[in-house]
Amino acid sequence: MCRWLAYSGSPILLEELLYRPSPSLIDQSLHAQMGAEATNGDGFGVGWYGLDTTMRDMPDTRGPDVPVLFRGVEPAWNDQNLRELARSTSSGLFFAHLRASTGSPVQQTNCHPFRHDRWLWMHNGLIRDFALLKRDLALAVDPALYPSIEGSTDSEVMFHLALTFGLTDDPVAAVERMVGFVEATGRRHGVEHPVQMTVATSDGERLWSFRYSSEHQSRTLYVSAAISTLRNLYPDNPAFVGLSDETRVVVSEPVGSFAGAWQPFPESSYGIVQPGDDVIGDFRPREP
Amino acid sequence: MCRWLAYSGSPILLEELLYRPSPSLIDQSLHAQMGAEATNGDGFGVGWYGLDTTMRDMPDTRGPDVPVLFRGVEPAWNDQNLRELARSTSSGLFFAHLRASTGSPVQQTNCHPFRHDRWLWMHNGLIRDFALLKRDLALAVDPALYPSIEGSTDSEVMFHLALTFGLTDDPVAAVERMVGFVEATGRRHGVEHPVQMTVATSDGERLWSFRYSSEHQSRTLYVSAAISTLRNLYPDNPAFVGLSDETRVVVSEPVGSFAGAWQPFPESSYGIVQPGDDVIGDFRPREP
Amino acid sequence: MCRWLAYSGSPILLEELLYRPSPSLIDQSLHAQMGAEATNGDGFGVGWYGLDTTMRDMPDTRGPDVPVLFRGVEPAWNDQNLRELARSTSSGLFFAHLRASTGSPVQQTNCHPFRHDRWLWMHNGLIRDFALLKRDLALAVDPALYPSIEGSTDSEVMFHLALTFGLTDDPVAAVERMVGFVEATGRRHGVEHPVQMTVATSDGERLWSFRYSSEHQSRTLYVSAAISTLRNLYPDNPAFVGLSDETRVVVSEPVGSFAGAWQPFPESSYGIVQPGDDVIGDFRPREP
Amino acid sequence: MCRWLAYSGSPILLEELLYRPSPSLIDQSLHAQMGAEATNGDGFGVGWYGLDTTMRDMPDTRGPDVPVLFRGVEPAWNDQNLRELARSTSSGLFFAHLRASTGSPVQQTNCHPFRHDRWLWMHNGLIRDFALLKRDLALAVDPALYPSIEGSTDSEVMFHLALTFGLTDDPVAAVERMVGFVEATGRRHGVEHPVQMTVATSDGERLWSFRYSSEHQSRTLYVSAAISTLRNLYPDNPAFVGLSDETRVVVSEPVGSFAGAWQPFPESSYGIVQPGDDVIGDFRPREP
């Protein structure tokens, strides 16, 4: 069971969310609290979009919209470089992921988030009997995208299938098609419940989150309450000062210890954090 | 809190003890069971003495009596090389250690066991306020030994102090002097309970184990029951066939699930596993 | 340009060939001597078959015939564990490989040798425009073998194609078919000279070596002269004492400094080191 | 022989100096050009001071003046994270170091630059017979600083001696005293030429560089010509547009291929890059 966190809002230092809450995402990865698989020591990754606007003037060799990746194979709690970066890097849209492998090797190319141009993708869960399904799934990936699969995880294949099915044009429909295709492929091979997932993806402007599983017992996913609500609940807390009303955090498990701060996603749903009103809707897999 | 295991007896494959019992040492390092610090993901090490006698004819560049070390900085549960070695390496005397850092960096030179010529040393516990005491302790190390301190742990300094105080001549007295010296140094700096330790050390012939703490609430240490006892308890179990009566395992926590297999060391004691009768005695720190 | 070495003969310590000759394989990987790509710092691997016969009594969990792998992602010259293993591991049939990546990531699953049951495989060279050909090549792999591709190298795909085309039954024919298939696939995509390779493979009994490139300008490959010849040339050298007449070493570049010790493989050839007379023959790619 | 680069001037992306010149610092580390020890594959490090002023408003947990460190143990040419950071991190004062070990282990705590509060330090060279001198040198370190020695290099001990002798107050005098002390200690142990060094150190405002060796045959050190000179020489080159006249680069070996761009430091000298006129002077070791 992996853990992840996606942030969208006023630019903040990464450490504000990775290290400072108690318990923090990093704390949770080390000290198991809710089950047998709760140690997340099999690599980690952070991806962030171009810092504040002053930095956007700086010529970046891939363009300012391509997010930056930092991924490592050691446990996040031991990584000094992550600590240094978290205290010096601010971003208004970033992903963090702590991996607990379900079998594939611990190597940088298997660490989330995965990146394709401006898009990031991260996943908690698995495709069941992936070894059985892998070839059929890989063959369905757009041949032009096939060579950019660098690792060996189910998560990266899901990302490339979603790209194949139109992620950059209509993310919700593309993920619904991807899941529908994996479920159909799985059933053909006799796998009863092929998909278990929470997923986050972004293009640097909006943040899509998904909670779904074939058996309708999906892993947890939470979104932070509106900042205005939190300011009312905790009028004296400096953590919420200076954050715009649009600021949102999506997490696999709650971090910190603010009662009322987290709202669970419904079973089989998706959410969109974006400028203006956010959206939440039903997630319905469809065969492509 | 680190975990360790020391084996002395009929040559067996390392995997028999590292991977096969349920729960095994490696299982325990991942799945926390007994406390907040129970994830042991901060590096590992194995040290073993020259294989069976047929291998001793093979000219080894350091002599057949110098043990072989294999140490890594990733969690043991992820290390494919450890798995490969464990299934192909047999030894009649070996150490295994899984580290949970108490602050010093995760690097190979901080992984146990430590080696000096024919001697191995591993430790679970800590010297409290080590940063405060470190300089005084390091200065007491024999100047000829000082340059061979490669890492930054309290455990390696303890080893070099024990060597300074005569480990290779009289191990029990040397460790008693080492602890006495650390306690005296600690008290001089106002540290109430400087030492917490279980320690194993060997010269390739005998195996010394120590359980002690300044506050007399030492971490656990167990020794396996006599093989003859285990054969009587479990007459049908193949694990105990072919093991000599002299075979013994010393562990920080029990592995496997054999009731009656493990006897706790008394508080403030040492044990010697050796050809002929084993020894157990009181551990009494003495100022050098 | 990778470097590799394959040994078949009287059991010797790995360090005899990896570290002791001057210059040794490890020396060469660090100190570039013959060209721009001569630093081999992108990972390494060693694979060896079950030690001497006394060890074969030891129950190995995969059977004594499955070779042991030790692979790492750091430069071989820095790996302390490799040094330790080389001084304590003896084998009568082993592979060693030092990698210089041609683009794919530095990760353990991309390190040679690769293993399938009793078979080892290692490669120096490349498939040109591999990103262009990768999908077509991967689709031709036996679906039952497809999930066991763990990394992202051309070399591992070549191995799985050779297995698909009958490596375990008729190695020379299978490699000829594999190369013929890669060349046909390459030509279809407009790649002029798709294959550049020296390859070693073994089942634990025999050792097959291949030297070939589509442009007939293949990278170098050498086999050691007969031990009897070397004993005549160097009657006083202890290195050749105790080695059976059947002992042979195959290397990508000569190691050590014995004039007359190394014979080049002809362009487009294969060799078989085996009990009884060795074989050398012409290598002729054939379309499957 | 390590390689290093120190930059002071208009904020630029790190990749402008690490990757873009041809040959770049990273290129040079892989492709040996000038001698037997020229492969720099034994770890690397980058340290930079707080980005541009807009970032300084961001509350940094150590204060904006404490530089950020990123250090790794693999060869720099393979590190994907370094590539990502270099394309997204800009700084007006940064250090980069590529290590070739002279014997001490490849671990993060042995990678340069070293940091103490606002100060960075990096070194190319060695203390000869360091194992012999190490204890005497370590004992001379201020006891309050002793516990912050984390690794096992001569370079880090030199840094802590310089701090002991007043680096933060009068850097030139402190380094002269440090070298004088190491030379006196060396002579007492019969070491003829104890010190070989080029060193860079900074407090975030000024940059001090040193070139010295006991035998007066010091490793090379270069400083870039004035930007105005380079603009005259290369009026069409965009690399020099937008750089302030105060911008300077100090390097162990020239990078890029601009004739006239690099001026060697004299033997036994130091230089200060600072607001206003830069300084160059004679370096004279003095016994403390």
Side-chain angles (χ1 to χ4, degrees), chain A residues 137 140-141 156-166 174 178 181-182:
Chain A
L137 300 179
V141 169
E156 191 187 17
V157 170
M158 290 165 80
F159 181 29
H160 281 77
L161 284 171
L163 286 164
T164 299
F165 295 140
M178 178 273 285
F181 179 75
V182 175

Side-chain angles (χ1 to χ4, degrees), chain B residues 165-166 170 172-182 285-288:
Chain B
F165 296 140
D170 185 345
V172 173
V175 175
E176 288 178 338
R177 281 187 200 108
M178 178 273 286
V179 169
F181 178 76
V182 174
R286 29 178 149 167
E287 284 204 38

Side-chain angles (χ1 to χ4, degrees), chain B residues 13 15 20 52 54-55 59-62 66-71 81 84-85 87-88 90 108 115, chain C residues 13 15 20 52 54-55 59-62 66-71 81 84-85 87-88 90 108 115:
Chain B
L13 281 173
E15 73 170 3
R20 201 160 292 175
D52 50 298
T54 61
M55 291 298 297
D60 177 313
T61 49
R62 300 183 186 222
V66 172
V68 184
L69 283 188
F70 178 72
R71 303 188 293 182
N81 289 326
E84 292 283 316
L85 291 169
R87 79 171 180 89
S88 63
S90 67
Q108 209 172 30
R115 179 177 66 193
Chain C
L13 283 173
E15 75 170 2
R20 201 159 294 175
D52 50 294
T54 61
M55 293 297 296
D60 177 313
T61 49
R62 299 184 187 221
V66 172
V68 184
L69 283 188
F70 178 72
R71 302 189 293 181
N81 288 326
E84 292 282 317
L85 290 169
R87 79 170 182 89
S88 62
S90 68
Q108 208 172 31
R115 178 177 67 191

Side-chain angles (χ1 to χ4, degrees), chain A residues 8 18 25 30 34 61 101 112 147 156 191 200 208 215 262 269:
Chain A
S8 171
L18 300 191
L25 192 69
L30 174 56
M34 310 180 194
T61 50
S101 171
H112 310 221
E156 191 187 17
V191 181
W208 290 264
E215 67 271 37
W262 300 104
S269 65

